[in-house]
Amino acid sequence: MPKNHPDLHFRELHRLSLADYAGYPELYREYLASGLRLTGMTIGLVVRIQRETCTILAAQPDSAAVAVGETQPLGETWCAAVVAQQRPVAVADAGRDALLPGHAACSQHSPKAYLAAPIWVNNEIYGTLSFFACTPQKEGFSRNDRELIELMARGLSVFIERDQLEQQRLESLHRMQQSIDLFESAFRFAAIGMALVSPEGRWLRVNDAVCQILGYTADELLAIDFQTITHPDDLEADLAYLQEMLAGHRDVYRMEKRYHHRSGRLVWVLLSVSLVRDPAGTPLYFLSQLQDVTEQKRATEVLHKQQRELTASNARLQRLATVDELTEVYNRRAFFDKFNAELERSARAGLFLSVLIIDVDHFKQYNDSFGHPEGDQALRRVAAELERCGRVNDVCARYGGEEFAVVLPDTDEKACLRVAERMRAAVEQISDLRRPLTVSIGCATTVSRHGQQRVVTTEAMLSRADKSLYEAKEGGRNRVVQSPSLVQDPVEAKLTDAAAPT
């Protein structure tokens, strides 16, 4: 039977495909030997092509002066024609063909004929199966010859792909085993609690840290679900997060929750949960991490309590610094702070500002007649009525003894008189004291105007109000007296607290 007979080719290809090879060297040797025998060529090569470089992986016959492992640029080899055409190449007489002359592996043999096919691996040219002859092939290469080389190259492709898949499988198994070993080690010896929980909430597996945190043995936990030992106030939120994860709306969640310890006490835990699904997306189990934060929660509560106490203490100190203890309106120092601020604001914005000085009429007689406790109660009642009659932004303060002072922002003379009269009438109508009381009120008002060089101070305003108070008392008491308005320049206005206490 002729060596290029199709039946002979088929039987040889069948034998090669069924053979069991110890490795790549034996595989290449068998394929090259069969190719040389069936084609009558002189030299056979398996060439690897990577990044425009050709590397000889195998050569036959063994006597061929070819160095396995030798490399050469792809463009200087006849393999370039195979890569360019991406199909088998058959050149019966190189001297009459446009291919590159002088193949590196066969230069000593002056190759004249070339028969090669690409080896495809994962849809890329892995290399070539190449055969050379040192004499031209007068009869040329038949279709059977080209198909034989192509099928042999495909046979190599199948073996290489299968081997690469096997290597990838083994590598994946190795990595998976490493991951399993690492997970097992991390799970068992983790400093924090780790647990696998079913989608229904049953404990599937717990490590020692979980048992230590919750006080149960592993067998006791595996016999119940997490809902059984979760604090009722935390259960609803926990279950809602789980449902969101099962529905695919979130990947993980973290929350602080309470568990009932086996001893009966509550344990605070920082819980982190992720969901593990199978390749089809079906939920398998929850991976939960539990960190005992009971002591941190206690320390935080203690800190918050101390902060609340400090805030309350500061508020009390602030109140003591600004509020008159007897009447619970502003004290004299706070009055001057606010009065100066309002006077500066009125000067800057060109606004009216009024101030009242109020004196309780014949208070010494009331105190002497009914005693200091009754006098104190009377002052509290008067202060309450004055503050009630004021507006939101008005500042009512105890000025000293039985005197009060009120700052009225954004208030002109007419409005000042209305407020003062309302206060006077309110005090006169107090009915729950040992005897009725009245007050005398002196008023002063200022307004900023451009072009005026006069400077209004707190001392000047209070002096005007005090003078009006004197006139009210001289006029028979239980009345309001308004002094003429003061004018200040908004740019030049300067404040002093000469009348403020030191």
Side-chain angles (χ1 to χ4, degrees):
M1 183 181 294
K3 59 185 179 181
N4 64 349
H5 193 279
D7 289 343
L8 182 59
H9 291 178
F10 175 77
R11 285 197 295 271
E12 187 63 15
L13 289 170
H14 185 63
R15 184 189 69 80
L16 291 172
S17 67
L18 295 179
D20 188 14
Y21 303 102
Y24 281 106
E26 183 180 356
L27 170 74
Y28 295 150
R29 184 170 57 250
E30 286 295 319
Y31 269 77
L32 290 174
S34 294
L36 292 173
R37 186 168 58 253
L38 294 174
T39 62
M41 302 292 277
T42 307
I43 296 175
L45 300 179
V46 176
V47 180
R48 177 77 165 100
I49 300 174
Q50 287 179 295
R51 301 184 182 88
E52 299 298 316
T53 299
C54 292
T55 303
I56 298 175
L57 300 181
Q60 283 292 310
D62 292 335
S63 59
V66 177
V68 174
E70 180 182 345
T71 62
Q72 190 171 1
L74 173 64
E76 299 178 10
T77 69
W78 286 357
C79 294
V82 179
V83 173
Q85 298 184 35
Q86 298 191 358
R87 59 181 175 81
V89 172
V91 179
D93 188 347
R96 297 181 179 181
D97 199 283
L99 294 174
L100 291 174
H103 192 288
C106 302
S107 59
Q108 297 179 8
H109 300 274
S110 301
K112 301 299 183 182
Y114 182 59
L115 181 61
I119 301 172
W120 291 91
V121 175
N122 296 324
N123 299 318
E124 293 183 354
I125 294 181
Y126 178 86
T128 64
L129 174 63
S130 304
F131 294 95
F132 304 86
C134 295
T135 59
Q137 302 294 298
K138 294 181 180 181
E139 298 179 359
F141 292 108
S142 68
R143 177 180 177 182
N144 289 339
D145 291 330
R146 290 191 294 271
E147 289 180 350
L148 170 66
I149 298 304
E150 185 175 17
L151 291 173
M152 291 181 72
R154 288 182 181 178
L156 290 175
S157 298
V158 171
F159 184 92
I160 295 171
E161 285 185 345
R162 188 168 57 227
D163 181 70
Q164 288 184 353
L165 287 174
E166 178 64 13
Q167 294 303 317
Q168 292 172 5
R169 186 185 70 85
L170 293 175
E171 179 63 24
S172 296
L173 286 174
H174 178 67
R175 288 197 300 267
M176 184 173 65
Q177 187 60 49
Q178 284 184 323
S179 297
I180 292 174
D181 293 342
L182 182 62
F183 176 80
E184 286 293 325
S185 176
F187 190 92
R188 290 182 57 194
F189 303 111
I192 64 173
M194 297 187 68
L196 304 183
V197 181
S198 76
E200 297 74 32
R202 295 194 67 83
W203 303 94
L204 301 176
R205 189 175 176 190
V206 295
N207 68 353
D208 293 341
V210 170
C211 297
Q212 184 176 0
I213 292 171
L214 302 178
Y216 293 89
T217 66
D219 290 339
E220 289 173 332
L221 287 174
L222 298 185
I224 60 176
D225 54 29
F226 79 85
Q227 295 94 320
T228 303
I229 58 174
T230 295
H231 191 283
D233 293 345
D234 300 330
L235 183 58
E236 183 177 353
D238 201 358
L239 292 176
Y241 282 134
L242 293 181
Q243 289 303 315
E244 289 181 12
M245 294 183 70
L246 290 171
H249 297 153
R250 65 167 61 234
D251 297 323
V252 296
Y253 76 88
R254 287 164 59 92
M255 68 175 293
E256 288 184 345
K257 62 174 292 187
R258 289 160 289 183
Y259 286 105
H260 291 288
H261 191 273
R262 194 175 190 279
S263 65
R265 63 185 176 88
L266 287 178
V267 178
W268 275 99
V269 166
L270 176 59
L271 177 66
S272 302
V273 181
S274 58
L275 178 60
V276 179
R277 300 176 183 269
D278 66 13
T282 302
L284 296 177
Y285 53 82
F286 295 106
L287 176 60
S288 301
Q289 295 179 329
L290 291 77
Q291 185 176 355
D292 189 348
V293 293
T294 305
E295 291 304 317
Q296 293 94 313
K297 293 291 289 187
R298 290 174 180 169
T300 300
E301 284 299 321
V302 170
L303 178 61
H304 287 169
K305 181 180 179 181
Q306 291 175 343
Q307 289 176 336
R308 290 192 297 269
E309 292 174 348
L310 179 60
T311 299
S313 178
N314 288 336
R316 287 193 296 270
L317 290 175
Q318 179 66 20
R319 182 176 177 80
L320 289 175
T322 60
V323 175
D324 178 66
E325 185 175 2
L326 175 64
T327 60
E328 296 187 348
V329 296
Y330 285 112
N331 60 22
R332 182 182 179 90
R333 181 177 297 277
F335 166 77
F336 276 100
D337 289 342
K338 293 183 178 296
F339 188 19
N340 284 333
E342 288 297 335
L343 190 57
E344 181 180 1
R345 187 176 73 90
S346 71
R348 186 171 56 248
L351 300 174
F352 285 98
L353 177 67
S354 297
V355 64
L356 311 178
I357 296 182
I358 305 167
D359 184 77
V360 180
D361 297 329
H362 304 298
F363 181 73
K364 185 178 183 306
Q365 295 178 5
Y366 188 97
N367 222 19
D368 292 342
S369 301
F370 305 110
H372 290 292
E374 290 293 332
D376 291 345
Q377 176 60 20
L379 289 177
R380 283 192 287 268
R381 288 291 290 113
V382 170
E385 288 300 315
L386 296 178
E387 196 164 46
R388 183 182 64 81
C389 293
R391 299 160 302 178
V392 174
N393 295 328
D394 295 343
V395 178
C396 181
R398 187 180 181 190
Y399 195 61
E402 67 271 21
E403 283 189 334
F404 295 89
V406 180
V407 179
L408 305 176
D410 305 336
T411 305
D412 60 13
E413 290 178 311
K414 291 182 178 179
C416 175
L417 284 173
R418 286 197 299 270
V419 174
E421 182 57 32
R422 186 165 62 244
M423 290 180 175
R424 185 203 63 76
V427 172
E428 187 178 30
Q429 294 173 11
I430 297 175
S431 60
D432 55 353
L433 299 177
R434 297 294 294 272
R435 69 169 173 80
L437 288 175
T438 60
V439 292
S440 299
I441 303 176
C443 310
T445 300
T446 183
V447 62
S448 294
R449 292 177 184 172
H450 291 285
Q452 302 292 330
Q453 299 301 314
R454 188 176 180 184
V455 176
V456 176
T457 65
T458 54
E459 183 179 25
M461 284 197 71
L462 291 173
S463 176
R464 287 289 186 92
D466 195 56
K467 183 177 180 182
S468 296
L469 173 63
Y470 177 80
E471 292 177 6
K473 286 183 171 292
E474 287 296 308
R477 294 184 170 82
N478 191 23
R479 65 187 59 213
V480 176
V481 175
Q482 170 76 57
S483 69
S485 295
L486 293 165
V487 179
Q488 63 174 334
D489 177 65
V491 177
E492 297 292 334
K494 298 180 181 178
L495 309 178
T496 66
D497 57 354
T502 58

